[in-house]
Every structure is written in C-alpha cells, then in structure tokens.
C-alpha cells in the first residue's frame, strides 16, 4: 500500500515537472515578441493550465491507460504494477531534468512513453507492449503533429501576410490583443493533453488495485493534476522561454500570433480525439514554419537540428533510464 501511494504521489510530481519543463514553451513567443508582459502572460497561462484538465474531455488519459501496455499484462502485474510504473516515471523524470537543466526543449510526452515501456519490456518482454495501439494512437500523433504544426505555421503566415501586407503598423496592437485569446485557449488544450498522460497512469493503478472499475478519471485526480501542472508552469516556465522564443527565430507579434494560432488548431484536434502530443514539439515546429515562410535564412536551423536530435533520442533514453531503475529496484 505504501508503494502504491508513493507511486501516485510521484505521478502527480511528474505532472508538476511537465508544467515547468514543457508548458513555458506555450507562452515563449508571446513574451519574446513583447505581445504580452511576462508576468501577466504567466499568470493568465497558469489559470488556463488549471482549467484545462477540469473541463476538457479525458480521451487522452484513456489512450494512455489502454493503448501502451496490453491490458492482460497490466492485470498480470498485480502487486508489481506500482514498481513498474514508478520506475517508468522516474526514468522519464531523470531525462526531463537533464534536458531542463541544459534548456533543451525535449518532450515530456516522449519521455513518459519511453519510461513506461522500459520496465514492462524488462519484466515481460516486448510482446507485452501494445505495438498497434502505440503506433496508431501515440507514435504517429507524436511524430506527425510537429510536421502538421510546421505546415500550419507556414500556411497561416502566408495567409495573414497577404491579408495584412498593406496594413498600418497599428495592426500589431490588434494582434497583441488577439493573443490573449489564443494563449488562453492553447494553454487550456495543452494542459489537458499533458496532465491526462499522468492521469491515465493513475487510472491504471486504481483499476489494478480494485479502486475503480472503469477508465473514467475521478474528479479528485483531475483537480490535483490541474493544480500540479499549473504550479509547475509558475515555478519553472521561464527557463525554456529564451530557447523557444528567441533562439530559433526572432519573433515579433505577427510571428507570435501565427505560431500560437497554428499550435492551437493542432492541440485542439489532438486533445479531442485522444491523441497525446508534445506541446514542446508543436510550438517549436510552428515557429520554424513561420520563419521558413517569411525568411528561411534567418531561421537558426542549427538549433533546430539540436532540438530534433533531442526529440529522436528522448524515447530511447527514457526507456534505458527506466529499465535500469527497475532492474536496480528489483535487486534491492
């Protein structure tokens, strides 16, 4: 019972870590373009982050609970389920801390998926993994959402450039005001998507322990998850802002608006259909799309390559970390 309680506590802590590791990406362009003052943006975004898990569909948590590990192996794990999930979370958290410390915009979503797969592969072999579910519900959305974000950023920049090419400089004030709405909605959608990943793992634990008999998420779990991801953004969000908002492309209100809107469209669609995606990937790719359309030579592609390398290595790295942690834990 103690390990079960500890595991749930660590999952909530991971949701907090996701808040300060990933969610600052969502307001990076707004702050760096000076569309909204930093403290004001952070407060508004944190409120939206709190509301997201409470009011948005829990389709993503169901995907995490049903489509990563085969359900028969979840049932088979019995009392060992807490140690398996705890090791997975710790492996993902270790990778997150490494990338957060070096301000590398990697994906907590990728880290979580890789972290959960490791211990189950060690304990039951790779046949315990729901490869079809992971491929269709997790891997494809995670890897294709940045491509869609890039294309959306490119197309929206093209459209609004044509619409606003003869506009007066005062149009920037209008774009800044619009970003209050895009920022609020984007943070609602992405916080719901990110927090639900941890909520799905808690549902697994509760089902195996007999504390619930469905994939529905209890309200108290939603409430605590909402609190944790919101405060995670408040405490650590600024560290990633410089990397995302300034090192890829020099953003102004026009670029920030297009990046925000393209990210919002993809996040909304993914969250409604239950596809877990990475806000970090999405925002970065949207900025790349915006910059590529306006002035490709000004895009810092070298930094983009480093981000891409982090995306590719995150799942294997967290898989290895969680596997090692699980093996050591079993020995102890």
């Amino acid at each position: 019972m103690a390990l079960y309680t500890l595991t749930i506590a660590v999952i909530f802590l991971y949701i907090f870590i996701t808040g300060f590791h990933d969610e600052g990406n969502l307001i990076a362009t707004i702050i760096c373009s000076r569309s909204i003052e930093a403290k004001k943006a952070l407060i508004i975004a944190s409120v939206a982050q709190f509301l997201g898990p409470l009011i948005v569909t829990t389709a993503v948590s169901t995907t995490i609970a049903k489509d990563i590990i085969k359900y028969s192996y979840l049932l088979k794990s019995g009392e060992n389920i807490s140690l398996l999930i705890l090791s997975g979370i710790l492996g993902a958290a270790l990778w997150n801390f490494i990338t957060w410390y070096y301000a590398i915009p990697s994906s907590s979503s990728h880290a979580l998926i890789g972290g959960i797969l490791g211990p189950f592969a060690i304990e039951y072999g790779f046949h315990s993994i729901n490869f079809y579910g992971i491929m269709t519900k997790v891997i494809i959305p995670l890897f294709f959402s940045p491509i869609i974000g890039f294309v959306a950023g490119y197309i929206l920049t093209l459209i609004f450039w044509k619409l606003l090419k003869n506009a007066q400089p005062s149009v920037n004030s209008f774009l800044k005001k619009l970003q209050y709405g895009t920022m609020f909605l984007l943070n609602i959608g992405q916080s719901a998507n990110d927090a639900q990943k941890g909520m799905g793992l808690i549902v697994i634990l509760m089902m195996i322990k007999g504390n619930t008999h469905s994939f529905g998420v209890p309200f108290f779990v939603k409430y605590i998850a909402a609190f944790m991801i919101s405060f995670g953004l408040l405490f650590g969000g600024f560290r990633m802002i410089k990397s995302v908002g300034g090192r890829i492309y020099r953003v102004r209100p026009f670029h920030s608006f297009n990046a925000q809107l393209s990210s919002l469209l993809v996040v909304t669609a993914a969250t409604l259909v239950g596809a877990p995606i990475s806000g970090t990937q999405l925002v970065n790719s949207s900025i790349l799309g915006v910059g590529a359309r306006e002035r490709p030579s000004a895009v810092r592609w070298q930094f983009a390559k480093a981000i891409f390398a982090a995306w590719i290595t995150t799942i294997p790295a967290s898989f290895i970390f969680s596997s090692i942690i699980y093996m050591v834990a079993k020995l102890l």
Side-chain angles (χ1 to χ4, degrees), residues 4 6 236:
Y4 169 77
L6 174 63

Side-chain angles (χ1 to χ4, degrees), residues 92-289:
L94 178 58
W95 177 250
N96 271 354
F97 272 121
I98 292 172
T99 54
W100 177 79
Y101 180 80
Y102 290 102
I104 300 171
S106 69
S107 167
S108 289
S109 301
H110 283 198
L112 182 64
I113 300 302
I116 294 301
L117 294 178
F120 280 92
I122 293 296
E123 182 67 22
Y124 302 115
F126 284 96
H127 50 273
S128 64
I129 298 173
N130 185 351
F131 283 103
Y132 176 79
I134 287 180
M135 187 58 63
T136 58
K137 295 287 189 72
V138 178
I139 299 298
I140 289 177
L142 279 173
F143 280 95
F144 274 87
S145 56
I147 297 174
I148 298 172
F150 179 91
V151 173
Y154 188 98
I155 292 174
L156 285 176
T157 302
L158 174 62
I159 292 172
F160 282 103
W161 181 81
K162 289 187 175 181
L163 289 174
L164 302 174
K165 63 179 179 180
N166 295 320
Q168 298 297 319
S170 59
V171 73
N172 283 318
S173 297
F174 179 65
L175 293 177
K176 289 178 180 180
K177 291 177 182 178
L178 285 179
Q179 287 180 76
Y180 281 95
T182 57
M183 177 183 68
F184 193 79
L185 293 174
L186 176 58
N187 276 272
I188 284 180
Q190 189 59 47
S191 71
N193 198 294
D194 283 339
Q196 284 185 58
K197 295 156 191 168
M199 287 155 57
L201 296 179
I202 292 175
V203 168
I204 290 175
L205 284 169
M206 295 180 70
M207 290 184 69
I208 302 304
K209 291 293 184 178
N211 295 327
T212 185
H213 301 287
S214 71
F215 288 104
V217 181
F219 182 77
F220 83 90
V221 173
K222 294 181 184 179
Y223 186 86
I224 299 174
F227 179 86
M228 297 301 282
I229 198 164
S230 175
F231 272 78
L233 172 59
L234 277 176
F235 280 104
F238 275 116
R239 190 173 182 85
M240 289 296 181
I241 286 172
K242 185 177 179 180
S243 294
V244 177
R247 292 176 64 187
I248 299 176
Y249 189 73
R250 186 176 179 180
V251 292
R252 297 186 297 275
F254 175 75
H255 312 117
S256 177
F257 171 74
N258 286 302
Q260 288 277 304
L261 185 57
S262 56
S263 298
L264 172 60
L265 294 174
V266 180
V267 164
T268 301
T271 302
L272 290 177
V273 302
I277 64 171
S278 167
T280 303
Q281 282 193 342
L282 185 55
V283 172
N284 278 283
S285 61
S286 296
I287 297 170
L288 288 171

Side-chain angles (χ1 to χ4, degrees), residues 27 30-45 176 180 183 238 241:
I27 59 174
I30 285 178
I31 293 175
C32 289
S33 66
R34 298 183 180 179
S35 296
I36 301 175
E37 192 269 328
K39 289 183 179 179
K40 184 185 295 185
L42 194 61
I43 292 171
I44 294 173
K176 289 178 180 180
Y180 281 95
M183 177 183 68
F238 275 116
I241 286 172

